[in-house]
Amino acid sequence: MKFVALFALFAATACAAVSVKKSDYGKMPDGQAVTLFTVTNATGTEARIITYGGVLVSLKTPDRKGALGDVVLGHDSLADYMADGGTYFGALIGRYANRIGKAQFVLDGKTYKLPVNNGPNSLHGGNKGFDKRNWSGKEVPGGVELSLLSKDGDEGYPGNLKVVVTYTLTEDNRLRVHYTATTDKPTVVNMSNHSYWNLKGDGDGTSNILGQLLTINADKYSPVDAGLIPLGEPQPVAGTPFDFRKATTPGARINQANEQLKLGKGYDHNWVLNRTGTGLELAAKVEETTSGRILEVYTDQPAVQFYTGNFLDGSVKGKGGKPALQRSALCLETQHSPDSPNKPTYPSTVLRPGSTYDTTTEFRFSAK
Ligand code: GLA
C-alpha cells in the first residue's frame, strides 16, 4: 500500500509541470462537440490534440535557440478537417492503417469485404476510419486519453473493438502515443498516427522537406505494385534509393529513374525495421540543420511507412489558408506492413478475444 502511494506521488510529481487544458474546438454538423486538449511542458513544447480523428493539430517544439515552431501540417478549423478529402493530417488511423489488397481478407476461413477507397484496395480503415470519428476525450497526467468503440461490422471489420489511445508529453520533449484495443471476435488491427512533419517549423506547408536529413533503421523495404501493395517478401535496401541507413536527404534520390519511386510518385513505401527485442527501438531520425531540430521516432512496431506528401498538390488548404504543397512534409507512420492480413509470412495483425493490442510510439524532439 505504502509503495503504491509512493509510486503515485512520484508519478504525479514527474508530470506536475506538464499542464493539460481543455477547450471547445467546435461542433460537428450533427451537434457533437469536439474538444481541444492543449498539453504544455516547462520548455514550452506544446501539443494540441482534438477529439475529432484524435488529430495532433499542432506541435510546437524549440529550435536550437529555444524559439518555438509548429512542426506539423494541419488545418485551421474543424470544418476544414471534416472537409479534407484524404490527407489524414495528424490523425489516428484505424482499424487498419495503410492498404489491404483487393479490399478483402480471410480470417479463420471467412472472407471479410472492406470499402474499396484506393484503386482496388482499402486504405486507412475505409470510408469512415478512426480519423473521421469523434473520440471521447479525458485529461490524464501529462496528456489526454481518447477512446472509442468500433462496432462489430464497422467498415467491414469483425468484432466490437474497444480502442484507447493516450497521447502524453514528457518534460524531455517526448510525445508518446500509446494504443490499446480489445475485441469480442477475432479481427485485424493496425493503428498509426498520420502526422506530417516539417522540422523547419513550417506547419503551414510552404517549405519542402527535400533537404532534411533522414535515417531509417531498416535493411529491407517492401517493393510494391501499382496500387502500392507489397509484391511479396521485403527486399534489401542496399544499392537502391531506399537505403537510408546513413543520414541522407529525401531529395538526393527522389527523382532518380527508379520504377518503385515512379509507382509511389516519390517515397510512399514500407520499411521493415531492424529490431533486436520487443521494446521501443529507433525507427527513424530526421534532422533539420537550419533550425537544429531533430526528431527521433522510437517504436515497438515492426515497420514504418515513409511518405513524402506526394499527393499534396496545393489543392488542399493547410494552416493560415495556405496551400499545402507537394513534399512540404514527411510522414513516418509506425505500423505493421501493408496487406499483412493477406500475407501469411508477415508478422500477424490478428487480434483475438482475450488478448490486448498494445503498442507505443514515441516522437522524441531535441535541437543542436
Ligand atoms: C499514406 C499512404 C499514402 C497516402 C497517404 C495519405 O501515407 O501510404 O499513399 O494515402 O497516407 O494521403
Side-chain angles (χ1 to χ4, degrees):
M1 197 51 199
K2 256 189 196 156
F3 177 75
V4 172
L6 258 178
F7 179 75
L9 182 71
F10 170 76
T13 318
C15 299
V18 177
S19 80
V20 186
K21 284 196 191 100
K22 208 174 142 175
S23 53
D24 292 337
Y25 193 70
K27 275 205 167 55
M28 292 170 62
D30 65 3
Q32 286 184 66
V34 173
T35 305
L36 167 71
F37 292 86
T38 303
V39 186
T40 317
N41 73 12
T43 67
T45 297
E46 177 203 80
R48 291 163 73 237
I49 294 139
I50 54 172
T51 50
Y52 179 78
V55 172
L56 175 64
V57 296
S58 67
L59 181 64
K60 291 184 185 147
T61 68
D63 67 7
R64 70 164 72 84
K65 292 181 184 148
L68 295 174
D70 186 1
V71 296
V72 293
L73 264 55
H75 294 297
D76 287 335
S77 69
L78 175 61
D80 290 347
Y81 278 104
M82 293 191 70
D84 183 320
T87 65
Y88 302 88
F89 280 161
L92 294 176
I93 311 294
R95 284 190 202 187
Y96 199 97
N98 216 321
R99 295 169 179 79
I100 296 185
K102 299 198 177 68
Q104 61 178 43
F105 66 95
V106 179
L107 178 57
D108 296 340
K110 201 171 160 199
T111 301
Y112 294 94
K113 299 224 181 263
L114 309 169
V116 180
N117 64 350
N118 189 251
N121 308 315
S122 197
L123 175 69
H124 292 335
N127 295 325
K128 197 177 176 202
F130 296 174
D131 59 291
K132 294 180 186 67
R133 302 277 301 270
N134 193 26
W135 297 58
S136 297
K138 69 171 190 198
E139 291 177 43
V140 291
V144 50
E145 180 188 284
L146 301 170
S147 54
L148 66 74
L149 170 67
S150 168
K151 291 206 179 117
D152 188 13
D154 186 16
E155 296 297 300
Y157 293 91
N160 288 298
L161 190 77
K162 284 188 189 157
V163 187
V164 181
V165 178
T166 313
Y167 283 98
T168 44
L169 180 67
T170 67
E171 276 308 348
D172 53 356
N173 289 341
R174 297 177 179 188
L175 181 68
R176 183 178 299 144
V177 195
H178 177 221
Y179 308 77
T180 63
T182 52
T183 184
D184 60 1
K185 280 186 193 166
T187 189
V188 294
V189 185
N190 182 34
M191 293 188 61
S192 195
N193 170 278
H194 208 306
S195 286
Y196 284 67
W197 308 104
N198 186 332
L199 295 187
K200 205 163 173 208
D202 289 338
D204 61 3
T206 48
S207 74
N208 74 53
I209 47 74
L210 292 173
Q212 304 188 8
L213 285 166
L214 172 69
T215 310
I216 303 179
N217 182 20
D219 293 341
K220 290 188 173 174
Y221 83 111
S222 301
V224 290
D225 68 13
L228 304 189
I229 295 291
L231 293 169
E233 294 310 306
Q235 298 298 317
V237 293
T240 77
F242 295 84
D243 190 349
F244 283 92
R245 291 175 297 179
K246 286 201 190 111
T248 314
T249 63
R253 296 166 300 182
I254 200 166
N255 292 321
Q256 279 186 9
N258 173 283
E259 179 65 15
Q260 282 297 317
L261 286 172
K262 272 188 212 143
L263 289 172
K265 298 187 169 55
Y267 292 102
D268 191 356
H269 294 77
N270 200 264
W271 275 251
V272 176
L273 297 169
N274 296 338
R275 295 196 52 89
T276 55
T278 54
L280 294 186
E281 292 177 17
L282 181 73
K285 178 176 176 183
V286 190
E287 192 173 349
E288 202 283 307
T289 50
T290 61
S291 66
R293 284 194 190 87
I294 295 170
L295 161 63
E296 289 168 300
V297 182
Y298 276 75
T299 190
D300 54 21
Q301 286 289 292
V304 67
Q305 184 85 4
F306 166 49
Y307 169 63
T308 38
N310 312 329
F311 298 124
L312 300 178
D313 60 5
S315 63
V316 170
K317 299 258 180 305
K319 290 177 181 170
K322 294 180 190 158
L325 303 176
Q326 201 188 35
R327 320 237 193 275
S328 59
L330 55 86
C331 301
L332 291 162
E333 305 153 55
T334 54
Q335 56 188 238
H336 275 248
S337 295
D339 205 29
S340 293
N342 294 311
K343 300 269 195 295
T345 59
Y346 288 15
S348 175
T349 52
V350 175
L351 179 70
R352 295 187 182 277
S355 297
T356 302
Y357 172 84
D358 187 327
T359 174
T360 301
T361 292
E362 271 185 16
F363 300 101
R364 301 182 181 177
F365 295 90
S366 56
K368 78 165 189 210

